[in-house]
Amino acid sequence: MSNWLDAVNWNSDGLVPAIAQDAQTGRILMMAWMNRESLQLSAERGEAVYWSRSRGKLWHKGETSGHIQKLHEIRLDCDEDVIVLQVEQLGGIACHTGRESCFYRILKDGTWQTIDPVIKDPAEIY
């Protein structure tokens, strides 16, 4: 029996993009990177674990903020090179800016405009 992780088309750095999506609303909350270990840990724990490229280490989402992502489902796209995590975002905040989603700006009239409010000041989170 082959390992399910072998089906993933990892990039040259051994990573795959992972999109976290709210399992209830379908809203895209964030995008991060996963390596083989983080994807396996996510499946085992039932909580999102990513690979932090800037820190060069595993990042259990919510380890500092408490904003854990409980996994409902892990999906692999048709090209086997993108993961979608259906999650329950504990605390309702996925973004380090204190917002529900990292995708809180829209392009309007040639400028990026912030449309989502800060739910909690990041200074109170970290």
Side-chain angles (χ1 to χ4, degrees):
M1 181 165 103
S2 95
N3 187 319
W4 61 272
L5 292 162
D6 294 337
V8 177
N9 186 7
W10 307 98
N11 73 12
S12 59
D13 294 323
L15 302 173
V16 65
I19 299 165
Q21 182 178 33
D22 187 292
Q24 293 283 312
T25 67
R27 179 153 192 209
I28 301 297
L29 301 175
M30 57 176 278
M31 179 274 175
W33 295 92
M34 293 181 122
N35 65 7
R36 190 178 182 97
E37 184 181 8
S38 67
L39 183 54
Q40 182 170 347
L41 285 171
S42 295
E44 290 172 0
R45 293 180 179 181
E47 295 179 352
V49 178
Y50 300 104
W51 176 256
S52 172
R53 294 180 305 162
S54 61
R55 292 178 283 191
K57 67 176 192 170
L58 291 172
W59 160 40
H60 181 204
K61 176 68 176 164
E63 65 191 348
T64 305
S65 66
H67 300 140
I68 292 168
Q69 291 177 340
K70 294 278 188 188
L71 285 180
H72 287 244
E73 189 174 82
I74 300 174
R75 290 183 178 230
L76 181 63
D77 80 323
C78 60
D79 293 324
E80 301 174 333
D81 62 359
V82 178
I83 299 289
V84 172
L85 306 173
Q86 297 278 323
V87 303
E88 174 190 352
Q89 179 64 63
L90 301 186
I93 297 172
C95 186
H96 75 281
T97 65
R99 292 178 173 87
E100 175 189 16
S101 169
C102 294
F103 299 94
Y104 58 87
R105 292 176 281 202
I106 62 168
L107 182 62
K108 187 172 181 182
D109 300 326
T111 62
W112 291 108
Q113 298 183 16
T114 298
I115 60 167
D116 292 350
V118 171
I119 297 169
K120 189 170 188 179
D121 185 335
E124 297 174 26
I125 298 172
Y126 301 101

